[in-house]
Amino acid sequence: MSQNFRRKTPDEILQSISTIKKGRLKIILGAVSGSGKTYHLLLEGNELKKRGIDVAAGVVSTLSSPKTLEQLGSLEVIPSIEWEDNGQVKHDLNMQEIYKRNPEVLLVDQLAHSNRPSAENRTRLEEVKELINNKISVITTINIYELKGVKEVAERLMKCPIYSSEFVPEDTLTVADEVRLLDVTPEAILKRLLEGNIEASHQQNEQGQLYNKDNLAVLRELSLRFLAGEVEEDLTEIREQEGLVGPSGATERILVCVQYNWNGSLLIRRGDQIAKRLGGELLIACFIVKQKNLTKEEDMFKKSMQKLIHKLKGKFEEVLIIKEDIADEIVEYAMQHYITRITLGQSKRTRWEEIIHGSIINRILRKTKHIDICIVADRAQEHGERVITAIHSSKEKNSYRRLSPDEVKEKIQDVKRGTLKVYIGAAPGVGKTYTMLREANELRKNGIDVVIGFLETHGRHETAEQVGSVVTVPRKQVRYKQVVLEEMDVAAILGRNPEVVLVDELAHTNVPGSENQKRYQDVLDILHSGISVISTMNIQHVESLNDSVEQITGVRVRETIPDMVLQGADELELIDISPYALRQRMTEGNIYAMDKIEQSLSHFFKIQNLIALRELALRELADEVDERLESLVRKEGVRGLWRKEEVIFVCVNLRADSERLIRRGFRLAYRLKAKWFVVYVKNHPTLSEDEQLNLHKIRSLTERLGGTFEQYASANRRLIIQELTQQLVDKQATQVIIGHSARSRWQEIKQGSIVARLLRETRHLDVLVVAD
């Protein structure tokens, strides 16, 4: 807050004045040609014109579909300069005519365009920058692979060439005032291709290598992750201005602490595998004493590790130890670099050595409870180098085996099941319902029977206008506590039996007494009847992200959806909008009623919250795309011998933080394709009412997320570790997840620490101590 009162420097004042005099640059980003960039460019131009803004079009792609060109409407098109390049007709901006016309906003398609040799500016980007400096705002379009440097990454991941010679610098998105990603599923792109809505010249080559499902998924994931990286930089800047320290909750940053010995490379490889599976950033640090010279052996290990880090594209730093306690150095470094997980090797010291000399791991655990600590086991001698598995190991199925009646019934049910598509947003007001209704009208034009099962416009006129001629199934009246409430009428929908039903707000909780407690359960019933569903939700309603959302916003979201519902969806599509544009919508009264605007802007809709939620949504959907693609990115990892299957044990008690451990266990298990158990050891004969309630909650959450809950008994507290370690052996566990110790330092000295004891007993396993 002190930043608001600080006097600006002369340079800052000049910069602010310069910004005021400039136009704005908005970029509409797509994964590939055919994702609808030009369509949305023109759509936005018409919406601005309706609001009284002077808009003109400078260049609109002539290869766009007739449906896209219909969006031109009454927009004025400033004639472009036509020229020929190797038989191909190209169009340059007519700068002279644009300045003569002098619109407030100019629509410019295809930012990655090279001008004719005689042009004053070599590229379209240079012309756009010139227009912005002359007070003309520009809205433009670009594909992800047209960013310089991204093309090579895309080609390596897809293993096929991209035939495009026109690019813009990689920092182009950074200099834009606003970037909006058009997230379109590969299925939708391929459908447009089959319908002839993507011109043949956009197919890159005769074989159309770019336009296959896997390659489109790679480009989609690349777009989501690249923009998430840009958003993270904005978030870091905002948080530094606000004086906020520590992780934001939106992304993972993995710190691997190494020494120059044989164990260093193993830790780096493991850290890289974790970072790839969690979609996080990898940092490696070696904490050294300045006066100490490296031995020949240490120097050899250092060079070997640096070579490995370069191959893995990690960041490496040597950190000079200044403080007496290296644990202080590690924690301070982690806080300064917004680390979410510190990765270390298991302690080699015996129990007595730890008593005499202390344990670095235990000291780090005492000094920070805000960062996860991952202690990596040394199993190289026993199992060889183990990497995280990409898929479950499974027994080979006999294709000649006759299916059982239950298996036949299950397969028939899968065939009859409707299709589920979900529009996801970072926050309310991004345009999910609006887009869903627009798609419904398009489906209706194509002869599909579409109805509205439940719609919530929140008084937004633009959304209500999109209903068009789509029929609404009347809601069911439900009496509750002397009040009549309305819910979706599932029976009426099933009776009407449409092909597609629109169901808004998937995370809604039904009125008590309804057949299903949650709306997503109603949707599952509709799908099982063979009716397809298009629905909407926000990222904060994903069950396993509940803790991250609370960390970001300070709000505990009560209405959540199990991750398995989204994992079972046929299509997930992100509706992206910049936080600044979203706040502008809020200010104009297009999201909530006027009396709620000021409170919303200063709480949930704070700029740092919206940026963090946007990054969370981008990364979460990128991870989901990655899972569905069987992870081409993961295949680039460094592999060696590995155990066939991960088994994760989440150790909980009946404290309130156990739910967070379970969510963390689920997210890790899902990324690792692992079996996972949640275990509770009861060490006293009777449970209190609160303990019974907490036991029910953690059992219910485990089952909702697809884990296995197991309860054991122990004669007394001292035998808890003994019972746990026996179960770890029996279940062939490979990883253990526990929470930070709730005991004070004095209590740990008197009574001991369960966490410290478990770490000693599980040195053959990876252990994750989850931040409090």
Side-chain angles (χ1 to χ4, degrees):
M1 290 296 292
S2 59
Q3 286 288 118
N4 298 334
F5 298 97
R6 185 179 62 80
R7 182 180 284 115
K8 288 184 178 178
T9 66
D11 285 343
E12 288 173 331
I13 293 170
L14 286 173
Q15 178 65 35
S16 298
I17 293 171
S18 172
T19 303
I20 291 168
K21 289 182 177 180
K22 284 183 176 181
R24 287 178 57 81
L25 173 61
K26 177 172 181 176
I27 295 176
I28 299 175
L29 174 69
V32 67
S33 298
S35 54
K37 300 181 299 301
T38 307
Y39 179 91
H40 283 83
L41 175 78
L42 297 173
L43 189 69
E44 187 148 347
N46 277 297
E47 287 175 356
L48 289 173
K49 188 177 178 182
K50 282 181 188 175
R51 290 160 55 186
I53 306 294
D54 182 19
V55 183
V59 169
V60 176
S61 172
T62 56
L63 294 172
S64 299
S65 67
K67 176 186 162 187
T68 299
L69 294 175
E70 278 177 21
Q71 282 296 321
L72 264 174
S74 59
L75 286 173
E76 179 186 348
V77 180
I78 299 171
S80 58
I81 297 172
E82 193 174 294
W83 62 288
E84 210 172 281
D85 181 24
N86 293 327
Q88 183 182 358
V89 177
K90 292 193 171 185
H91 295 265
D92 289 356
L93 290 173
N94 193 330
M95 298 293 281
Q96 190 174 349
E97 290 299 316
I98 291 168
Y99 284 130
K100 192 184 296 183
R101 172 64 177 74
N102 195 30
E104 288 179 272
V105 178
L106 186 72
L107 309 181
V108 179
D109 214 357
Q110 299 177 338
L111 184 61
H113 169 82
S114 299
N115 291 332
R116 64 198 184 282
S118 60
E120 189 173 333
N121 290 305
R122 190 172 56 85
T123 65
R124 182 163 293 165
L125 176 61
E126 291 172 16
E127 290 177 330
V128 164
K129 288 179 177 178
E130 183 185 309
L131 291 168
I132 289 167
N133 286 329
N134 283 281
K135 305 178 188 177
I136 297 176
S137 293
V138 174
I139 304 176
T140 186
T141 65
I142 192 172
N143 292 317
I144 187 65
Y145 54 78
E146 291 171 332
L147 292 168
K148 200 169 186 179
V150 176
K151 180 196 173 197
E152 290 77 12
V153 176
E155 288 180 328
R156 178 170 57 84
L157 295 176
M158 295 189 301
K159 295 180 173 58
C160 80
I162 296 174
Y163 294 96
S164 175
S165 57
E166 297 183 314
F167 304 97
V168 295
E170 201 168 322
D171 65 351
T172 301
L173 299 187
T174 307
V175 300
D177 298 283
E178 185 180 342
V179 178
R180 179 188 174 191
L181 173 66
L182 282 186
D183 179 47
V184 184
T185 64
E187 293 83 1
I189 294 285
L190 292 173
K191 185 181 176 185
R192 292 173 189 178
L193 188 66
L194 286 171
E195 291 172 350
N197 292 324
I198 301 175
E199 292 291 332
S201 58
H202 278 168
Q203 293 182 38
Q204 301 292 325
N205 53 44
E206 291 179 6
Q207 292 77 30
Q209 284 179 291
L210 193 64
Y211 285 79
N212 70 57
K213 192 172 180 180
D214 284 356
N215 286 341
L216 291 173
V218 169
L219 291 172
R220 183 189 185 196
E221 183 183 354
L222 202 55
S223 304
L224 289 159
R225 292 205 190 280
F226 191 89
L227 186 56
E230 296 286 317
V231 172
E232 185 188 357
E233 290 181 10
D234 292 342
L235 179 60
T236 301
E237 187 178 333
I238 290 285
R239 286 173 62 82
E240 286 175 351
Q241 289 173 2
E242 294 289 327
L244 299 172
V245 296
S248 68
T251 186
E252 292 276 359
R253 289 171 68 88
I254 315 297
L255 171 65
V256 180
C257 299
V258 297
Q259 295 297 308
Y260 296 136
N261 57 33
W262 66 271
N263 198 37
S265 292
L266 186 145
L267 286 173
I268 293 167
R269 290 170 189 263
R270 192 68 54 79
D272 173 67
Q273 291 150 9
I274 292 169
K276 278 187 168 67
R277 294 310 297 250
L278 299 179
E281 186 179 352
L282 177 66
L283 290 83
I284 299 99
C286 181
F287 294 82
I288 59 171
V289 179
K290 187 176 181 180
Q291 294 79 10
K292 183 182 175 183
N293 293 321
L294 297 181
T295 65
K296 286 184 178 181
E297 189 179 48
E298 287 173 331
D299 188 55
M300 180 188 70
F301 281 124
K302 177 180 177 178
K303 288 175 181 176
S304 173
M305 288 160 56
Q306 286 177 325
K307 187 177 179 181
L308 176 62
I309 292 166
H310 177 74
K311 182 176 182 179
L312 298 175
K313 296 181 173 59
K315 295 180 181 177
F316 175 69
E317 185 176 356
E318 280 188 345
V319 183
L320 296 178
I321 298 173
I322 300 171
K323 299 184 178 181
E324 290 184 11
D325 191 346
I326 188 174
D328 284 329
E329 293 279 2
I330 292 172
V331 171
E332 186 176 317
Y333 183 89
M335 293 296 290
Q336 289 173 351
H337 291 81
Y338 308 108
I339 297 300
T340 60
R341 181 175 304 200
I342 299 172
T343 303
L344 307 134
Q346 275 281 11
S347 173
K348 300 289 184 185
R349 288 177 175 174
T350 65
R351 170 65 173 147
W352 286 109
E353 285 175 328
E354 285 186 355
I355 291 172
I356 297 168
H357 303 290
S359 160
I360 293 175
I361 292 172
N362 289 337
R363 292 204 300 275
I364 290 174
L365 287 171
R366 284 199 298 272
K367 292 174 187 297
T368 177
K369 295 197 174 183
H370 306 294
I371 301 173
D372 290 354
I373 311 298
C374 180
I375 301 103
V376 176
D378 173 21
R379 284 196 294 269
Q381 291 181 354
E382 185 181 351
H383 298 296
E385 181 196 328
R386 181 177 63 86
V387 306
I388 293 168
T389 56
I391 56 174
H392 267 309
S393 60
S394 58
K395 294 179 182 178
E396 190 176 339
K397 294 181 180 178
N398 188 340
S399 57
Y400 294 98
R401 185 179 65 82
R402 182 179 288 124
L403 297 176
S404 69
D406 287 341
E407 288 173 328
V408 171
K409 186 178 178 181
E410 187 179 338
K411 285 188 176 293
I412 291 172
Q413 187 61 50
D414 287 342
V415 171
K416 293 169 70 175
R417 183 182 182 272
T419 298
L420 174 60
K421 178 172 183 176
V422 182
Y423 284 110
I424 298 177
V430 299
K432 303 178 300 297
T433 306
Y434 181 96
T435 308
M436 178 177 72
L437 288 167
R438 195 174 66 213
E439 181 175 3
N441 278 289
E442 289 296 327
L443 289 171
R444 200 169 178 281
K445 284 179 187 176
N446 293 328
I448 305 295
D449 182 18
V450 185
V451 300
I452 295 171
F454 190 92
L455 179 67
E456 189 57 76
T457 64
H458 295 287
R460 299 166 195 161
H461 301 299
E462 289 179 352
T463 302
E465 286 173 5
Q466 284 295 314
V467 172
S469 57
V470 182
V471 175
T472 300
V473 176
R475 299 181 186 183
K476 180 171 60 176
Q477 306 288 314
V478 182
R479 180 171 290 278
Y480 178 68
K481 291 185 178 180
Q482 311 304 316
V483 179
V484 176
L485 301 172
E486 292 185 332
E487 290 290 359
M488 181 171 67
D489 194 335
V490 178
I493 291 169
L494 296 178
R496 170 67 172 71
N497 195 31
E499 290 177 89
V500 181
V501 61
L502 309 184
V503 181
D504 216 358
E505 298 186 347
L506 189 59
H508 170 78
T509 301
N510 292 332
V511 175
S514 300
E515 187 173 342
N516 289 316
Q517 183 185 358
K518 305 285 288 186
R519 183 168 290 159
Y520 76 80
Q521 295 169 321
D522 292 337
V523 165
L524 293 177
D525 289 344
I526 293 170
L527 290 168
H528 288 317
S529 73
I531 299 171
S532 294
V533 176
I534 303 176
S535 192
T536 65
M537 64 172 289
N538 291 319
I539 196 66
Q540 66 259 32
H541 297 297
V542 177
E543 175 73 68
S544 68
L545 293 177
N546 202 256
D547 305 306
S548 296
V549 171
E550 184 178 21
Q551 183 180 340
I552 290 167
T553 65
V555 176
R556 170 65 69 174
V557 177
R558 300 298 172 190
E559 293 189 315
T560 58
I561 296 174
D563 295 57
M564 286 182 290
V565 175
L566 294 185
Q567 291 157 16
D570 300 276
E571 284 189 60
L572 298 174
E573 197 165 309
L574 179 70
I575 304 301
D576 184 49
I577 184 174
S578 78
Y580 300 96
L582 187 57
R583 281 173 61 88
Q584 182 64 31
R585 282 188 188 179
M586 173 69 78
T587 304
E588 293 170 354
N590 293 326
I591 299 179
Y592 293 150
M594 298 302 289
D595 59 338
K596 292 183 179 179
I597 291 174
E598 189 174 341
Q599 182 186 11
S600 297
L601 288 173
S602 59
H603 289 83
F604 189 87
F605 280 75
K606 286 192 295 188
I607 194 68
Q608 64 263 35
N609 285 356
L610 295 179
I611 293 173
L613 287 170
R614 186 189 189 196
E615 182 180 354
L616 193 66
L618 287 162
R619 292 191 186 280
E620 186 65 13
L621 201 61
D623 288 342
E624 191 62 38
V625 173
D626 185 54
E627 290 296 328
R628 294 176 186 229
L629 186 61
E630 286 300 330
S631 182
L632 288 184
V633 175
R634 249 179 262 133
K635 291 175 185 176
E636 299 296 316
V638 180
R639 292 186 174 272
L641 300 174
W642 46 277
R643 291 169 61 93
K644 289 187 177 179
E645 192 173 80
E646 293 282 342
V647 178
I648 295 174
F649 250 51
V650 183
C651 302
V652 299
N653 50 34
L654 299 182
R655 295 205 315 256
D657 66 344
S658 290
E659 291 187 36
R660 184 174 66 255
L661 295 179
I662 294 168
R663 293 189 188 98
R664 187 61 61 86
F666 160 76
R667 290 187 68 77
L668 189 60
Y670 178 58
R671 295 287 179 258
L672 307 188
K673 306 297 185 198
K675 287 183 181 178
W676 65 291
F677 298 85
V678 174
V679 296
Y680 164 64
V681 181
K682 181 183 174 186
N683 61 6
H684 51 286
T686 56
L687 299 178
S688 68
E689 194 173 317
D690 285 345
E691 286 176 328
Q692 287 177 346
L693 179 62
N694 282 335
L695 181 61
H696 172 73
K697 281 182 178 178
I698 62 179
R699 183 191 295 271
S700 175
L701 178 60
T702 303
E703 292 170 353
R704 204 158 64 239
L705 290 173
T708 302
F709 182 82
E710 296 193 351
Q711 180 178 330
Y712 310 122
S714 173
N716 60 58
R717 187 182 295 271
R718 292 184 179 278
L719 297 176
I720 289 177
I721 298 299
Q722 186 177 325
E723 181 63 38
L724 281 174
T725 51
Q726 184 59 50
Q727 293 299 330
L728 290 170
V729 172
D730 292 347
K731 296 291 193 304
Q732 295 183 312
T734 59
Q735 297 198 46
V736 181
I737 297 177
I738 55 176
H740 266 278
S741 174
R743 293 177 177 175
S744 67
R745 176 62 178 144
W746 180 242
Q747 287 174 321
E748 286 183 356
I749 291 171
K750 284 179 66 180
Q751 303 171 24
S753 164
I754 289 179
V755 174
R757 284 186 60 200
L758 190 61
L759 285 173
R760 283 198 303 274
E761 298 294 331
T762 57
R763 291 186 177 184
H764 60 296
L765 304 175
D766 291 353
V767 180
L768 176 63
V769 185
V770 174
D772 183 3

